[in-house]
Structures are given as structure tokens and as C-alpha cells.
């Protein structure tokens, strides 16, 4: 019923089209594509690189940056950090001795979406205010410290856009008070 036949055939051209399907969907490939699509360089400065993660997937949603190591900033930073934690906003406090610009650059490099700066106006003015900075546009607004955690939460969950925040709150141009007034 079964027969085996041996023969030899000479082929001059044989085209082979590979058809391999690799169904590999590991977390490594997903992370690589997120990193690749989020990596940016600031225009005009090739050394200023940053990750522009969507706020929903950013490892930290915001950073809290006191302008200096002045002890009067400590209660504001602590209460702000506690309020952000209560609102479920992951954040990082950077009270290192570097300049505020260098600390902004460090937080941008690791993809933190928003930055809150506690400055001398936060201490000297009533109601107490702080600045909120958007990583991608580098624009800042000034708002009351009590409102910041809710706004950052809504921005992080994409319930609120940065354009809507800019319409609602004044754009930050510069400090009204200075360190000298604080010392007087």
C-alpha cells in the first residue's frame, strides 16, 4: 500500500519567502516603545532632554520644589505633600541645594508631568499660593496651595487640560515679594 520512490531533481532557482509570526508581547517591548515615543529634546538646547510621558503613565505625577532651603518653606512643603498623598497623587519632594532651573531639568528628565514650586510669595501672601508648572510647555500658573492637590489630580487623570487650567488661573510672570522682604 505504501511505496517509496527515490529520485533526484535539479532546481536552478528556488525562492523562499519566510513566514514567521512572532506573537511576543512582553512588557519590555511595551516599555521600550513608551520610552522611544516619549523622549524629547528642548528646542535650542540639545543637552536638555526630557521624557514627555502622558500624565496617566508618568511614574510621578508632580514634584514639590521649595525655592530654597529656607526653614519657613518646610511647613508648606510638608502640608502640600500630605495633601497630595491624600488625593492619591504620586509625587517627589526635591529640596536639594541646586538651583530651581536645575531641579526642574532633573524632574523633566525622569518624566514628572507637573512641578509645584513653593516660593517667597507662598509664605508672604495671604491666601498662600504656589506655582504649578507644566513640563511640556514650561508655562506656569499661580494658585492657592489648598487647590493644588485637586487640580494636579484632575490633570494627571486627564479630567482637566492644561489649557483649561491656564484659562482659570493667572499666568505666573515673576514673584511679587523677595527674600529681603521675608527677612525684614
Amino acid at each position: 500500500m505504501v511505496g517509496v520512490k527515490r529520485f533526484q531533481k535539479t532546481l536552478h532557482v528556488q525562492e523562499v519567502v519566510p513566514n514567521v509570526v512572532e506573537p511576543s508581547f512582553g512588557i519590555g517591548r511595551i516599555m521600550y516603545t513608551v520610552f522611544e515615543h516619549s523622549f524629547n529634546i528642548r528646542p535650542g538646547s540639545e543637552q536638555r532632554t526630557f521624557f514627555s510621558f502622558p500624565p496617566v503613565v508618568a511614574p510621578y505625577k508632580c514634584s514639590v520644589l521649595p525655592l530654597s532651603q529656607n526653614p519657613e518653606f518646610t511647613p508648606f512643603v510638608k502640608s502640600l505633600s500630605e495633601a497630595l498623598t491624600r488625593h492619591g497623587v504620586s509625587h517627589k519632594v526635591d529640596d536639594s541645594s541646586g538651583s530651581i532651573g536645575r531641579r526642574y531639568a532633573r524632574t523633566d528628565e525622569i518624566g514628572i508631568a507637573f512641578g509645584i514650586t513653593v516660593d517667597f510669595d507662598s509664605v508672604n501672601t495671604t491666601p498662600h499660593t504656589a506655582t504649578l508648572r507644566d513640563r511640556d510647555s514650561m508655562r506656569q500658573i499661580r494658585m492657592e496651595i489648598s487647590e493644588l492637590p485637586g487640580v494636579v489630580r484632575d490633570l494627571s487623570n486627564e479630567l482637566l487640560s492644561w489649557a483649561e487650567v491656564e484659562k482659570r488661573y493667572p499666568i505666573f510672570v515673576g514673584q511679587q515679594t523677595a527674600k529681603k522682604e521675608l527677612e525684614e
Side-chain angles (χ1 to χ4, degrees), residues 139-156:
R139 294 172 58 96
Q140 297 181 42
I141 53 104
R142 180 164 285 282
M143 65 189 317
E144 287 187 33
I145 290 177
S146 60
E147 294 180 55
L148 278 166
V151 170
V152 172
R153 180 196 58 217
D154 291 346
L155 282 167
S156 299

Side-chain angles (χ1 to χ4, degrees), residues 4-74:
V4 177
K5 193 192 263 187
R6 295 192 87 165
F7 66 93
Q8 187 174 7
K9 183 175 178 183
T10 305
L11 296 174
H12 297 289
V13 176
Q14 182 178 6
E15 292 184 26
V16 178
V17 178
N19 52 4
V20 176
V21 175
E22 187 178 346
S24 174
F25 297 103
I27 189 70
R29 290 176 187 223
I30 294 169
M31 292 300 296
Y32 176 78
T33 57
V34 169
F35 288 148
E36 186 176 344
H37 289 283
S38 299
F39 182 77
N40 289 306
I41 299 172
R42 295 258 184 239
S45 177
E46 291 182 10
Q47 294 179 333
R48 294 202 54 201
T49 60
F50 67 102
F51 280 111
S52 182
F53 297 125
V56 172
V57 298
Y60 291 107
K61 306 308 179 201
C62 79
S63 59
V64 179
L65 309 168
L67 190 61
S68 72
Q69 292 184 343
N70 190 320
E72 294 199 22
F73 292 160
T74 305

Side-chain angles (χ1 to χ4, degrees), residues 100-144:
I100 192 70
R102 186 162 288 156
R103 287 187 282 158
Y104 276 144
R106 271 197 307 253
T107 61
D108 291 349
E109 284 176 348
I110 61 174
I112 298 176
F114 305 103
I116 298 172
T117 305
V118 176
D119 55 16
F120 294 104
D121 285 346
S122 303
V123 177
N124 294 335
T125 60
T126 304
H128 300 291
T129 60
T131 62
L132 178 64
R133 176 184 179 264
D134 176 50
R135 172 202 55 220
D136 296 337
S137 67
M138 296 184 358
R139 294 172 58 96
Q140 297 181 42
I141 53 104
R142 180 164 285 282
M143 65 189 317
E144 287 187 33

